[in-house]
Amino acid sequence: MDYQAVLEEVAAFARPYVGHGQVADYIPALEKVPTDRFGIAVADINGEVYGVGDWEVPFSVQSISKTFSLALVMANDNEDIWKRVGREPSGTPFNSLVQLEWENGVPRNPFINAGALVVTDRLQTLTGDASTTMLHFLREESGNPDLAFDQAVADSEAEHGDRNAALAHFMASFGNLENPVPSVIEHYFWQCSIEMSCRDLAAAGGFLARHGLRADGSRLLEAREAKRINAVMLTCGTYDAAGEFAYRVGLPAKSGVGGGIVAVVPGRCTLCVWSPGLDSRGNSVAGAAALDHFTSLTGWSVF
Ligand code: GLU
């Protein structure tokens, strides 16, 4: 596969969509990002990375971090996390409270905010410092020792974090948090604030394409665990548009309100695309168009 040529064709296809959609403004620090950005990278299973456009420009990973926290928890704790969080699509927005009450404080899946807070809570118990553990893991997997938190984004999110605090307190009232709410939401905001480029994220997500093997060849996850994470990405990873995303793209993927989307072709490669304009569900407009074209061109969907 001539990845460079494919990415250039994909970028040309996506170009008319760049600038469409809205930049997330509920976290004020994200509002400042120009909408005309577009980058895409692919890391093959041997760790070679190819990219075009703004593929080396760092952006806020936001909810893409939820994939890595889930992987780190499963790596340490096998499948116990599934006693505290489900794995069904929610059909409600990522920060919705209503379902939690009906379902006794057990979130539908690990990729809505409530579910991610439970996962971060568990990572905090397992490691004593959930967000720093994730940062170190991402530095190692991406090969980029300069990865860092963005303090302005973390602070901005904490200032406007009433909804996430409410979700965490609500779950605590059902006994579904092990750590104090302030510590759980702080680590969650820090993990979301990590800045990475498409290059970094495609490389860091390589273990999902390598059936659980890390960049250095050691095993992070059993193959069946990597399969399970990819499955939950496919069904729940792109907000309440996961059905539409599977229909168009046909790959496990996780998006974030920073405009990034990581997608996995198991056994072959991991992609990351970034363009900050979001559709009404919270997925990057140009990013989704690019991935749609990538799987059409290559035939590499999981279907
Ligand atoms: N930190 C964001 C929040 O909790 C993440 C949102 C996202 O990317 O989906 O609202």
Short mmCIF file of all heavy atoms in Angstrom, two decimals, residues 135 139 142-149 195 200:
data_model
loop_
_atom_site.label_atom_id
_atom_site.label_comp_id
_atom_site.label_asym_id
_atom_site.label_seq_id
_atom_site.Cartn_x
_atom_site.Cartn_y
_atom_site.Cartn_z
N LEU A 135 -0.15 10.03 30.54
CA LEU A 135 0.80 10.87 29.79
C LEU A 135 2.08 10.08 29.51
O LEU A 135 2.60 10.10 28.38
CB LEU A 135 1.11 12.15 30.58
CG LEU A 135 2.06 13.12 29.91
CD1 LEU A 135 1.48 13.67 28.61
CD2 LEU A 135 2.40 14.29 30.85
N ARG A 139 3.56 9.09 25.85
CA ARG A 139 4.92 9.48 25.42
C ARG A 139 5.67 8.27 24.88
O ARG A 139 6.33 8.33 23.85
CB ARG A 139 5.70 10.08 26.60
CG ARG A 139 5.29 11.49 26.92
CD ARG A 139 6.11 11.99 28.10
NE ARG A 139 5.75 13.35 28.45
CZ ARG A 139 6.04 13.92 29.62
NH1 ARG A 139 6.69 13.23 30.55
NH2 ARG A 139 5.68 15.15 29.87
N SER A 142 3.97 6.91 21.52
CA SER A 142 4.10 7.81 20.36
C SER A 142 5.57 8.04 20.02
O SER A 142 5.88 8.52 18.93
CB SER A 142 3.45 9.16 20.68
OG SER A 142 4.18 9.81 21.71
N GLY A 143 6.47 7.75 20.98
CA GLY A 143 7.88 8.07 20.78
C GLY A 143 8.15 9.56 20.87
O GLY A 143 9.20 10.04 20.44
N ASN A 144 7.21 10.30 21.44
CA ASN A 144 7.39 11.75 21.56
C ASN A 144 7.46 12.14 23.04
O ASN A 144 6.44 12.23 23.72
CB ASN A 144 6.21 12.48 20.89
CG ASN A 144 6.35 13.99 20.97
OD1 ASN A 144 7.28 14.50 21.62
ND2 ASN A 144 5.46 14.71 20.33
N PRO A 145 8.70 12.37 23.53
CA PRO A 145 8.86 12.66 24.96
C PRO A 145 8.36 14.04 25.37
O PRO A 145 8.30 14.36 26.55
CB PRO A 145 10.38 12.57 25.17
CG PRO A 145 10.96 12.85 23.82
CD PRO A 145 9.97 12.38 22.80
N ASP A 146 7.99 14.86 24.37
CA ASP A 146 7.56 16.23 24.68
C ASP A 146 6.05 16.36 24.92
O ASP A 146 5.57 17.46 25.17
CB ASP A 146 7.95 17.18 23.53
CG ASP A 146 9.45 17.21 23.35
OD1 ASP A 146 10.16 17.07 24.38
OD2 ASP A 146 9.91 17.34 22.20
N LEU A 147 5.31 15.28 24.80
CA LEU A 147 3.86 15.39 25.03
C LEU A 147 3.61 15.97 26.41
O LEU A 147 4.30 15.65 27.37
CB LEU A 147 3.20 14.02 24.95
CG LEU A 147 3.23 13.30 23.61
CD1 LEU A 147 2.38 12.03 23.70
CD2 LEU A 147 2.73 14.20 22.49
N ALA A 148 2.56 16.81 26.51
CA ALA A 148 2.30 17.48 27.79
C ALA A 148 0.81 17.77 27.93
O ALA A 148 0.06 17.76 26.96
CB ALA A 148 3.08 18.79 27.85
N PHE A 149 0.43 18.06 29.17
CA PHE A 149 -0.92 18.55 29.43
C PHE A 149 -0.99 20.00 28.97
O PHE A 149 0.02 20.71 28.97
CB PHE A 149 -1.22 18.54 30.93
CG PHE A 149 -1.11 17.19 31.57
CD1 PHE A 149 -0.15 16.93 32.53
CD2 PHE A 149 -2.00 16.17 31.23
CE1 PHE A 149 -0.06 15.69 33.14
CE2 PHE A 149 -1.91 14.92 31.83
CZ PHE A 149 -0.94 14.68 32.79
N GLU A 195 -2.12 17.35 24.74
CA GLU A 195 -1.98 17.84 23.35
C GLU A 195 -1.18 16.84 22.56
O GLU A 195 -0.06 16.48 22.95
CB GLU A 195 -1.19 19.14 23.36
CG GLU A 195 -1.85 20.29 24.04
CD GLU A 195 -2.29 21.27 22.99
OE1 GLU A 195 -1.43 21.95 22.42
OE2 GLU A 195 -3.50 21.33 22.72
N ASP A 200 1.38 11.69 16.49
CA ASP A 200 1.50 11.10 17.82
C ASP A 200 0.38 10.10 18.09
O ASP A 200 0.60 9.02 18.64
CB ASP A 200 1.41 12.19 18.90
CG ASP A 200 2.53 13.22 18.80
OD1 ASP A 200 3.63 12.86 18.37
OD2 ASP A 200 2.26 14.40 19.18
#
